[in-house]
Amino acid sequence: MNKKIAIIGGGNLGTAIAEGLLKSKFCKAADIVITKRNTSTLKHLESRGVKVTAVNADAVMRSEIIILAVKPYQVTEVLNSFNAAITSKHILVSVVTGVLISDLESALAKKIPVFRAMPNTAIAIQQSMTCLSFNNAAATHTGVVTKLFAALGKVAQINENLMDAATVLGACGTAYAMRYIRANIQGGIEIGFDAATASLIAAQTVKGAAELLLEKGTHPEQEIDKVTTPKGCTIAGLNEMEHQGFSSSLIKGIATSYNKIVKG
Ligand SMILES: NC(=O)c1ccc[n+]([C@@H]2O[C@H](COP(=O)([O-])OP(=O)(O)OC[C@H]3O[C@@H](n4cnc5c(N)ncnc54)[C@H](OP(=O)(O)O)[C@@H]3O)[C@@H](O)[C@H]2O)c1
């Protein structure tokens, strides 16, 4: 789309967004600028043609889409560092957890379209699940931002009041899935595989299971029915997992993460 993009805050997520953009055809490497105070950790991006700077205002001046990817407590200070460089050509997309669109709007020196996005770190390989919300954006702006994240995975438009829930299910969800896969690896080693083979089997099996749901649109239980022979080993193992609180522990963990965001 040839849009110039500034990523303000080149940490875990900001770097992952830059990596995903480099793989995508959304923009050229030279159209991406990424910032952080200590730029020495961004050399791998610089070597691929991405502009790297510690000066947020410079990055904003070079861009049309500003992706704000700093920690919540850094938002005010960081916004102030580039507020004067904002013009009517800009769109702000915040991936910051827990900071409302209305708070961002009132902190900005100019009235520009403001979006909140909740991607996850699979954005680095164009496999993010990104939840997107906005209040008063024009169709042209929503189109551009939706295309940006669609180039980096799947996108769901949600009401802002679901952003905390999106953070848990979509962003924390990566960590939950990793722990599930790790447990499979540990079990796989116990029943005879070396760690590398167990990792490959566990990760590809989980990927295949997810792809089945995404491509066929089936319910998980329909796919489970296909692999559970009466009196067989799958249902015996599954039922034992449930006796040990498998689904319940996941649901409780999700609710705990959510309450941590909402209640602190
Ligand atoms: N990680 C995820 O999976 C994920 C998913 C969805 C949303 N989020 C949200 O995304 C935001 C970033 O998360 P993260 O995990 O990427 O955090 P992070 O790794 O700490 O990244 C934040 C980056 O901001 C930089 N920074 C701090 N002050 C700055 C300044 N004045 N100017 C420019 N850069 C500055 C820091 O680098 P320096 O110290 O070198 O400046 C740091 O690398 C958070 O609000 C988080 O809630 C994260």
Side-chain angles (χ1 to χ4, degrees):
M1 286 201 86
N2 283 336
K3 289 283 177 197
K4 292 186 167 44
I5 300 173
I7 301 168
I8 308 294
N12 292 314
L13 188 59
T15 305
I17 293 171
E19 285 168 7
L21 284 170
L22 283 174
K23 283 185 200 287
S24 80
K25 293 190 170 57
F26 186 83
C27 60
K28 298 191 290 284
D31 291 335
I32 306 169
V33 51
I34 185 163
T35 77
K36 72 196 288 284
R37 290 164 301 185
N38 169 14
T39 57
S40 65
T41 57
L42 300 175
K43 294 233 179 311
H44 65 295
L45 293 172
E46 198 166 27
S47 67
R48 295 173 69 186
V50 173
K51 290 189 177 61
V52 169
T53 175
V55 186
N56 293 330
D58 280 358
V60 166
M61 273 188 264
R62 288 169 180 271
S63 71
E64 292 149 300
I65 302 173
I66 307 163
I67 300 178
L68 184 63
V70 295
K71 295 282 193 208
Y73 67 89
Q74 296 165 327
V75 164
T76 307
E77 180 197 332
V78 173
L79 274 182
N80 285 337
S81 71
F82 64 78
N83 228 340
I86 289 179
T87 67
S88 52
K89 73 172 179 182
H90 284 111
I91 297 173
L92 180 74
V93 181
S94 167
V95 297
V96 181
T97 305
V99 178
L100 298 174
I101 292 174
S102 56
D103 291 338
L104 293 163
E105 282 172 339
S106 44
L108 286 166
K110 263 209 153 44
K111 195 170 167 19
I112 56 166
V114 178
F115 291 76
R116 272 181 78 187
M118 188 49 61
N120 60 42
T121 48
I123 204 161
I125 53 160
Q126 297 173 274
Q127 289 294 334
S128 178
M129 177 65 233
T130 302
C131 292
L132 196 62
S133 61
F134 47 88
N135 291 339
N136 305 307
T140 47
H141 298 132
T142 59
V144 169
V145 176
T146 305
K147 275 201 181 108
L148 189 160
F149 287 104
L152 301 172
K154 296 197 186 300
V155 183
Q157 195 180 308
I158 61 167
N159 285 328
E160 193 182 11
N161 61 13
L162 279 172
M163 260 300 160
D164 293 335
T167 306
V168 174
L169 209 56
C172 308
T174 302
Y176 309 146
M178 291 297 172
R179 196 50 78 75
Y180 170 76
I181 292 169
R182 191 190 78 168
N184 273 273
I185 295 167
Q186 290 171 312
I189 295 169
E190 189 167 329
I191 60 174
F193 287 108
D194 62 81
T197 310
S199 300
L200 173 68
I201 295 172
Q204 177 59 29
T205 302
V206 170
K207 184 183 174 198
E211 290 288 347
L212 277 175
L213 299 181
L214 289 169
E215 281 191 25
K216 292 187 174 188
T218 45
H219 187 279
E221 218 54 42
Q222 281 174 277
E223 299 299 334
I224 288 174
D225 284 347
K226 293 177 193 165
V227 291
T228 44
T229 309
K231 285 191 161 186
C233 63
T234 312
I235 193 65
L238 264 184
N239 284 346
E240 180 60 21
M241 288 176 196
E242 291 301 344
H243 293 318
Q244 299 295 332
F246 180 64
S247 294
S248 173
S249 77
L250 289 177
I251 296 162
K252 281 186 176 171
I254 287 168
T256 300
S257 290
Y258 182 75
N259 287 333
K260 183 76 184 166
I261 297 182
V262 175
K263 297 177 188 159

